[in-house]
Amino acid sequence: MRSLTPGIVINGCKISEPDIDAEVQYHPAGSLAEARHAAKRSLVIRELLLQRAAVAGYLSAPRPESIKDLDQIIDNLLEAEIQIPEADEATCLRYYENNQKKFLTSPIFDVSHILYLAPPDEAEERATALVRANLALSRLRVDPAQFEQIARSESACSSAATGGHLGQISHGQTLLAFENALLQMHEGEISKEPAATSVGYHIIRVNKRAEGRQLPFTAVAAWINDYLNEQCWNRAFHQYVTLLAGRAKISGYNFEAAHTPLVQ
């Protein structure tokens, strides 16, 4: 039995604040509040599963100290109590046909850029960099042929030496904000406004763009099968835990619980 310090109580079993504090490290998040919420949910779900394992005969008292042993007990329980249908080839093919855009290889770009350097936490420097980038864009709208000259004289990137030329870029090879801007551009186009990234502002020129190709079903069938099975299992697991929560007496944590009887 856990300590009697305030916290979450599930069917009389307490999850204390120290338990939650210890769990937070395993749930990185944008804020401490988000991490604590994830930690609480994880501990509540684990406790619900362990209590169910005890009822189903997979866990005897006292509980083992080893986390690995507890995880194995939970795995055995879930394997026995959550049954999902395997996605067959017809289901996978239907998913492929309805989501063909997901199975395009990424386009390849030949790119040049002009970088106006500005750290994300320096508001004054970023404002100055944005002004400089917009002035350069104004000049390029009048005479696009100035691109290499401006890059050589003003860009803070090492590519300035080659007129801003970065070479070929494909998915995942550059900053996400830069890539997102690229995906909206056509061959021969100069960005309509500076693209903001964590390093500053970029004026981008797409020298060439080679579109992605459609992957055949045979190349992605295994991935689709794994994806559909995982999605099906996740839904079944969520329903299973929600049903357990609906049968439990929980205080100190608001768990969305259904009240449909758990199938024995």
Side-chain angles (χ1 to χ4, degrees):
M1 179 68 68
R2 293 187 175 90
S3 66
L4 297 178
T5 53
I8 301 167
V9 182
I10 305 172
N11 295 327
C13 188
K14 293 183 179 293
I15 300 173
S16 68
E17 287 299 318
D19 292 330
I20 297 166
D21 292 340
E23 179 71 16
V24 163
Q25 63 182 309
Y26 303 112
H27 302 274
S31 68
L32 178 59
E34 292 173 337
R36 284 184 62 80
H37 178 77
K40 289 178 182 180
R41 183 173 182 84
S42 178
L43 290 171
V44 168
I45 290 174
R46 174 179 285 268
E47 185 60 39
L48 288 168
L49 292 173
L50 289 173
Q51 289 186 19
R52 175 61 184 171
V55 171
Y58 293 93
L59 175 63
S60 58
R63 295 181 184 180
E65 294 294 328
S66 168
I67 294 296
K68 285 187 177 180
D69 289 341
L70 290 175
D71 287 345
Q72 186 60 58
I73 288 166
I74 290 172
D75 286 346
N76 292 341
L77 172 72
L78 296 179
E79 184 176 355
E81 298 209 333
I82 298 182
Q83 305 296 324
I84 61 169
E86 290 286 319
D88 58 20
E89 184 174 358
T91 302
C92 294
L93 181 58
R94 185 163 56 250
Y95 181 86
Y96 172 80
E97 290 173 344
N98 291 335
N99 297 274
Q100 292 204 11
K101 288 185 178 179
K102 291 185 177 181
F103 306 108
L104 288 170
T105 61
S106 62
I108 298 175
F109 302 87
D110 185 89
V111 179
S112 298
H113 83 141
I114 304 167
L115 170 62
Y116 294 90
L117 195 65
D121 54 350
E122 296 290 341
E124 187 174 341
E125 288 186 36
R126 286 190 75 83
T128 300
L130 181 57
V131 169
R132 294 183 64 208
N134 278 319
L135 286 173
L137 265 181
S138 296
R139 294 162 60 192
L140 289 169
R141 291 188 186 104
V142 175
D143 184 7
Q146 294 185 75
F147 191 97
E148 285 83 2
Q149 177 185 341
I150 295 173
R152 285 190 170 90
S153 62
E154 298 187 15
S155 181
C157 179
S158 59
S159 64
T162 56
H165 189 226
L166 292 173
Q168 286 191 348
I169 292 177
S170 59
H171 176 63
Q173 292 185 324
T174 186
L175 296 169
L176 181 59
F178 192 100
E179 181 176 305
N180 287 340
L182 269 183
L183 290 171
Q184 307 304 314
M185 296 177 64
H186 304 290
E187 185 169 313
E189 185 180 4
I190 295 174
S191 49
K192 294 180 174 61
E193 58 185 24
T197 72
S198 58
V199 297
Y201 291 94
H202 310 254
I203 299 173
I204 304 170
R205 185 179 69 188
V206 176
N207 304 314
K208 292 183 180 179
R209 174 172 176 153
E211 296 300 335
R213 63 182 181 85
Q214 185 72 47
L215 293 172
F217 173 70
T218 53
V220 295
W223 181 91
I224 293 173
N225 182 270
D226 290 343
Y227 172 78
L228 292 179
N229 287 334
E230 181 181 3
Q231 293 298 302
C232 186
W233 194 93
N234 287 341
R235 287 192 297 271
F237 176 76
H238 175 75
Q239 181 183 40
Y240 178 76
V241 171
T242 299
L243 291 170
L244 290 179
R247 291 164 56 98
K249 183 178 180 180
I250 303 173
S251 62
Y253 182 81
N254 184 15
F255 199 106
E256 295 180 0
H259 299 286
T260 306
L262 181 66
V263 176
Q264 299 294 325

